[in-house]
Amino acid sequence: SNYLSTQSDDVDQKTQHIIDALNANDEIDKLSEELMNATSTVGKARGWEQTLTDVEYFSQYEKFYHPVFCDNRGRVYTYNTSLSFQGNSLAKVLVRSFSTERLTDSGVYQLQVLLGGMIEGFSKKSTNARYNRVQELHEAFTKCIEHSDYSVIDLLDEDEVLQALNIMYTLYMHNKDSTYQTGILAYIDATSSAIQIQALVQKCSKAAGLTNLLPNSTDELPDAYKAVADTCKAMCTEITAQSDEEINTMLKAYYQIHEPEKLNYMGS
């Protein structure tokens, strides 16, 4: 704008300058996004390279251990992510438990539910919806493991492809070989968010329902964060349509009606 104000170009020429500047900004944004994606890919590749280096090192031992610890919410973590079930996607696939066993019916079901959550669009679906989707794709999964058709991979979340293939192979071998045993490490992370803790402390059924502490009969799992985001989005739309004077008047009225509660503290 400073440049245009000092030029003697006519309106059409100035308009073209503005269009060129906007187009250049669009190109910059596009290149920035491509650079960010490329940087992320390089980071993943370096992480996988380190994982393979760790594999080479640990392969000389019969077994190795991962010390774990709990945080103040009860979640379990490993002290490092090298070849850990909490490491990168490649590490999660390569790690096996030293002892193996035959999957039970419950184990097969839980693996199918876990696999269902790795299908694009199903991570927030109920266990029944995930399980049913896996049943629908059973033949496609079999073809993928038998190397006859890989198209089902396109249906998977791109960050979960390796783990999904690992589970698909385990389920395939379980059905094909009655003596097959596995040491696959597959789990669904327990939830212990602050909102859940708050819901229990305050006995708030709404917050408990939004964080899946209460039974849900629909295929769509409630999402507290999405509910908050949707509410904020609606409020922002309403506020941006108002003038500064209208917003100021609204805030004054709100605080007159909802006067902050006075807290009485005991002791010194």
Side-chain angles (χ1 to χ4, degrees), residues 69-90:
F69 67 96
C70 294
D71 68 2
N72 56 8
R73 297 170 299 176
R75 289 189 173 184
V76 176
Y77 297 94
T78 56
Y79 277 98
N80 64 70
T81 57
S82 175
L83 285 186
S84 164
F85 60 90
Q86 293 179 331
N88 60 44
S89 57
L90 180 60

Side-chain angles (χ1 to χ4, degrees), residues 46-58:
R46 287 175 176 169
W48 287 13
E49 182 180 21
Q50 181 60 49
T51 296
L52 294 176
T53 300
D54 294 337
V55 168
E56 184 177 10
Y57 172 77
F58 284 110

Side-chain angles (χ1 to χ4, degrees), residues 76-252:
V76 176
Y77 297 94
T78 56
Y79 277 98
N80 64 70
T81 57
S82 175
L83 285 186
S84 164
F85 60 90
Q86 293 179 331
N88 60 44
S89 57
L90 180 60
K92 291 177 181 178
V93 171
L94 293 176
V95 174
R96 293 285 190 278
S97 64
F98 180 73
S99 59
T100 61
E101 57 186 69
R102 177 77 177 167
L103 286 173
T104 62
D105 291 342
S106 175
V108 171
Y109 172 78
Q110 293 297 340
L111 270 187
Q112 290 174 325
V113 170
L114 184 57
L115 176 58
M118 296 177 180
I119 299 172
E120 188 70 40
F122 277 75
S123 62
K124 296 295 184 180
K125 299 286 188 180
S126 67
T127 54
N128 286 336
R130 296 182 187 186
Y131 175 79
N132 291 335
R133 184 57 175 149
V134 169
Q135 301 311 302
E136 294 171 359
L137 296 174
H138 174 76
E139 185 177 350
F141 290 145
T142 300
K143 289 181 178 180
C144 180
I145 296 302
E146 292 180 345
H147 306 290
S148 61
D149 184 0
Y150 300 110
S151 59
V152 74
I153 292 178
D154 294 333
L155 301 179
L156 302 174
D157 186 312
E158 63 178 11
D159 293 327
E160 306 282 4
V161 171
L162 290 180
Q163 286 180 272
L165 288 171
N166 190 28
I167 295 174
M168 287 159 52
Y169 176 80
T170 300
L171 292 171
Y172 174 84
M173 291 301 299
H174 176 85
N175 293 327
K176 185 177 181 180
D177 184 355
S178 60
T179 63
Y180 179 75
Q181 295 185 337
T182 181
I184 187 173
L185 297 180
Y187 66 98
I188 298 176
D189 192 16
T191 57
S192 53
S193 71
I195 302 177
Q196 288 177 317
I197 297 172
Q198 178 185 354
L200 293 173
V201 170
Q202 297 179 338
K203 298 182 179 180
C204 176
S205 59
K206 184 174 183 180
L210 286 172
T211 52
N212 301 296
L213 288 175
L214 296 178
N216 174 52
S217 59
T218 65
D219 283 345
E220 293 290 339
L221 293 179
D223 188 337
Y225 301 103
K226 184 178 184 301
V228 171
D230 290 342
T231 301
C232 291
K233 184 178 180 180
M235 293 174 63
C236 289
T237 301
E238 180 181 351
I239 291 174
T240 54
Q242 298 176 340
S243 65
D244 291 343
E245 292 77 12
E246 290 173 327
I247 294 175
N248 189 42
T249 302
M250 180 184 67
L251 290 175
K252 285 182 177 179

